Amino acid sequence: MHEQVRISVRGIVQGVGFRPFVYRNAVEFGIAGTVKNLGSEVEIIARGERLHGFVEAVSRGPPLSRIDSVDVTPVTAMIADGFVILASGTGSFSGMIPPDIAICSECIADIFTDGGGYQNYWATSCVNCGPRYSIISEIPYDRERTSMAEFPMCPACTAEYHDPHSRRHHAQTIACAACGPGLELFDRLGHKVDCHDPVGEAAELLDAGFILAMRGIGGFHLACVEESATKLKHRLGRIEQPFAIMVRPDQIDRLAEVSQEDHTILESQVHPIVVLDKRDPDAHREISSLHTIGCMFPYTGLHHLLFSHLTHPLLIMTSANMPGYPMITEIDAAMAKLSNDADFFLTHNRQIVNRCDDSVVRNGYIIRLSRGIAPKRTAVDLGRHCVLGVGPELNANATIYKSGFCVTSPHVGNVRNPATLEYLEETVRNLQRILGAKFDVVAHDLHPQFLSTRFAREIASEHGLELVPVQHHRAHIAATTTRPCIGIAIDGVGYGDDGTVWGGEIFSGQVPDLKRVAHLEPVAMPGGDLATRFPERMLYGILPDDRVRSLLASRGWSDVELGVLEKQLASGFNVTQTTSTGRVLDAAAALLGICRERTYDGEPAMKLESAAASGKAEAWPLVFAMKDGCETLSSRALMETALTKMPAAPDSDHREIRDIAASFQYNLARGIAELAARAASRDGMREAALSGGVAYNHAIRTTIERELAARGLACITNREYPPGDGCVSYGQCVYAGRLLARRD
């Protein structure tokens, strides 16, 4: 190897301690030269006798980095003795800033070390942990381009920042109580609580049963102890919706069944909410009436300090925003919106540049792609065009494809309202600026009336960009695989090619050529969206006969209401046809009396799954037919079987009800797998791709996988992106990129 070289390292090299890492290796290998940030690239000029070992070492990168390429070229310029970290410059923007990282064990130890410089300091961090995306406004990643710029380092922090032997060498978030962001506690009227230790005071208030709004890394949470859960639910008007909890690590096994994989995820640098099966399905019902509970470990210094004062082993820790709306980030907005919900406010004075909700994982599958995982960067070759995918309507995010990589934003929310649309637009602007992206194409959902579709049209019109509409379920499959496959997309809602609501779809082919070859039987949704809120409407749409009418009458439906429903179905007025798997599950939950009104997204199907978890499934007859060249599975036949098995005096907790719930799920999944297997046999496919929100249902997913395996079909389900709608913006980019690459 040449004695003097330039080493260009590209990838995720910002905000990961790359320059200090290079410096330490230069000292170890006796290398002279310099290291410098250049956008998404690090440039190293190096001279020394042990260059080969040095290049090998820096090519591995520090723990949080992701290396795309390392190029080594000779240089002839004079290189002075010693090794120096230079000020950042500008260059390419092919990489990405990493997501926010949970506090590391060494920083936790620093917080609880008596007499140490970081003792009891809530915002302690180092090069290996702490906020990244939530505080950055531009790259290269340096303090002056983050919200830490407002906090000049004290002499002690400055010395550590410049110390090559320190874990905080060039750590841009370095701060202590003398120079860093501070905490304050306010009551609901905005009066500052006079106390020496805001964290200790907050813990006392929580232990006493008060509800606190707490400003964290990416926004506000509402926190309380378990005994106050019901009070919080009533204040929020979310009586049925489960809460997530933050729990001491030594208490988790008492609460839930935790696999080794779950433990690994809980303790990872992400520290997401992990949905676990309760040890006792009937325990902690004030937190969650389901058989599952969402748990996370403390992931900031503030959380660890709080738990060190608390006498309770867990806290409800739920996002302070309304479901589907953006995280609240500013104290003024929090006090204005939460004064009736929270008793006190614990806040800090560091600006949240990019809001970020907690990530959620179940059985190793991502439900919400956010803190610790996103922005998510994926290497994929989609050709020369720079593509923006604006996502679907529900559980939306955005993805940008540029130069061989897709970058997906954290979770945005439900783009059904102006506030969330504005947040989507803000997120796109931020990612575009950080990546230096110049869009050629905007990919969007096929639905013409989505606000995200409107946004796509506006940005395309303003900048003269090409628009590519992507059908919702094809985006799901594109996000899962680009290989030839049978695609299985099972979810609640998606606008179909024929203008009806799809959601139980079987495709065959290879992106972008995915032909719809099978689906669930189309059924009626009386009242359209009203049938999603009141699933008994969905039940009548599937089985509009006297038995269902009699059942609804026994539950309080008046003759007038039933007459209107009957006439609506007969006339077809405001009646949508749907193949949605989610709506069929909703109707089954309504039939069994498990959920008669949906008060949060996915409630009927989630409660059906919870009831089925303790039930015993049996095989039922499956009815298939052909319709317009596609094979269909009859959901009416399944509902008919379920109805005939109903006990004379149904009770949602009755053993027979649980067995019917388990059987309904099992046979629906078995039928979907059969549709896919038959399509694979016809088209000579050996692989299936499974996506959609219904795939989170453990019993349904594993039944489909097992049935396909028995037929010799491998089944892929994406673990890098959510099977739910959080993968759609990425799938839109993949689909559009492949479509345009073929055209080129």
Side-chain angles (χ1 to χ4, degrees), residues 211-216 218-224 232 236 238 241-246 273 296 299 315-329 334 337-338 341-342 355-360 368 370-371 411-413:
I211 296 168
L212 266 67
M214 295 171 48
R215 192 184 195 195
F220 274 87
H221 287 89
L222 287 170
C224 67
L232 178 56
L236 295 174
R238 304 182 210 166
Q241 188 169 5
F243 284 142
I245 63 171
M246 184 172 283
I273 297 169
M296 60 179 158
Y299 59 83
L315 287 175
I316 280 79
M317 191 71 74
T318 186
S319 301
N321 48 292
M322 289 291 291
Y325 281 72
M327 288 282 281
I328 300 170
T329 59
K337 295 178 180 179
L338 304 174
D341 303 325
R355 67 192 88 195
C356 203
D357 213 333
D358 294 314
S359 289
V360 184
R368 185 162 65 207
S370 207
R371 175 189 52 77
H411 171 78
V412 169

Side-chain angles (χ1 to χ4, degrees), residues 578-608:
T578 183
T579 58
S580 165
T581 311
R583 297 294 81 81
V584 171
L585 293 170
D586 289 355
L591 171 66
L592 301 178
I594 292 167
C595 184
R596 298 183 58 201
E597 180 181 357
R598 188 205 68 183
T599 62
Y600 60 88
D601 285 347
E603 179 181 2
M606 289 166 69
K607 287 186 171 179
L608 180 73

Side-chain angles (χ1 to χ4, degrees), residues 604-617:
M606 289 166 69
K607 287 186 171 179
L608 180 73
E609 180 189 6
S610 195
S614 57
K616 182 178 180 181

